[in-house]
Amino acid sequence: MNEPLSFLSAWLLGFLGSVHCMGMCGGIVGALSLNTSGNRLAIHLSYHLGRITTYAGLGFVAGFIGLWLASSHAYMGQVLRILSGVMLILMGGYVLGSTRLLLWLEKRGGYLWLRVQPLTKKLLPVQSAKQGLLLGLVWGLLPCGLIYSTLSWSLVAANPWHSAGLMAMFGLGNLPALLSFSAFAQQLNRIKQTPWVRRIMATLIITFGLWTIVASLA
């Protein structure tokens, strides 16, 4: 796998999936803006640092599992690539509203989230960068079909550090939209509901998936 290309693709996937991310994380980002300590920027940045760190940690674990599977089974690498492509296609369909299969995965992840979420209550309202960092570390575990799709892609890399980098780039990709959410919430919400924006975003994500499958069969 060409590393610069895969990192760029991971960033683009996060960027293109920003509309979905605003729906998942927009509420907590808005809540951070209610801080009145005059330290809002530091709190926002620390929250996103925590969130991206958790993504990278999940990617590291996925890469380790992928490495183990690829070294244990002769054809597992190809199978994982195809699975990753299918997950990306499903994510594109999810964005279009034509499939609800990823909701099933999010519900399964919801069982873990029910155990983790109480930790967030102890960190709200956020009054310091440290609290923001801790909240981001926990919030990175929020069940999300887009995260799961990207994780399946990082699994294919079969390299813990490379996979961690992919997930970090994914997190950086949706950072601009989430940072601007509090300032442009209404405008971004209108964009999110625009049909052609959703179609373009879904088409590009599906293209990533098809490219992944075709490359694995070549």
Side-chain angles (χ1 to χ4, degrees), residues 62-139:
F64 186 82
I65 293 173
L67 178 63
W68 175 74
L69 288 173
S71 61
S72 302
H73 304 82
Y75 298 102
M76 187 55 66
Q78 187 178 35
V79 171
L80 289 175
R81 289 186 180 87
I82 294 173
L83 175 62
S84 173
V86 170
M87 286 290 291
L88 289 171
I89 292 171
L90 288 175
M91 186 62 219
Y94 178 45
V95 170
L96 282 175
S98 60
T99 178
R100 311 289 287 178
L101 185 58
L102 285 183
L103 286 177
W104 181 85
L105 286 176
E106 290 185 356
K107 288 181 180 178
R108 302 286 80 76
Y111 295 125
L112 171 63
W113 181 243
L114 286 176
R115 297 177 182 276
V116 175
Q117 188 179 22
L119 296 175
T120 64
K121 296 179 180 178
K122 300 177 181 179
L123 299 169
L124 293 171
V126 177
Q127 298 295 330
S128 68
K130 179 181 178 180
Q131 280 182 287
L133 176 65
L134 293 174
L135 181 64
L137 288 170
V138 176
W139 210 265

Side-chain angles (χ1 to χ4, degrees), residues 51-65 112 137-142 147-148 151-152 154-155 160 163-164 167-168:
R51 179 178 62 85
I52 293 171
T53 298
T54 294
Y55 292 167
L58 293 173
F60 185 88
V61 173
F64 186 82
I65 293 173
L112 171 63
L137 288 170
V138 176
W139 210 265
L141 296 172
L142 181 71
I147 294 175
Y148 296 157
L151 266 177
S152 71
S154 67
L155 187 73
S163 299
M167 289 303 295

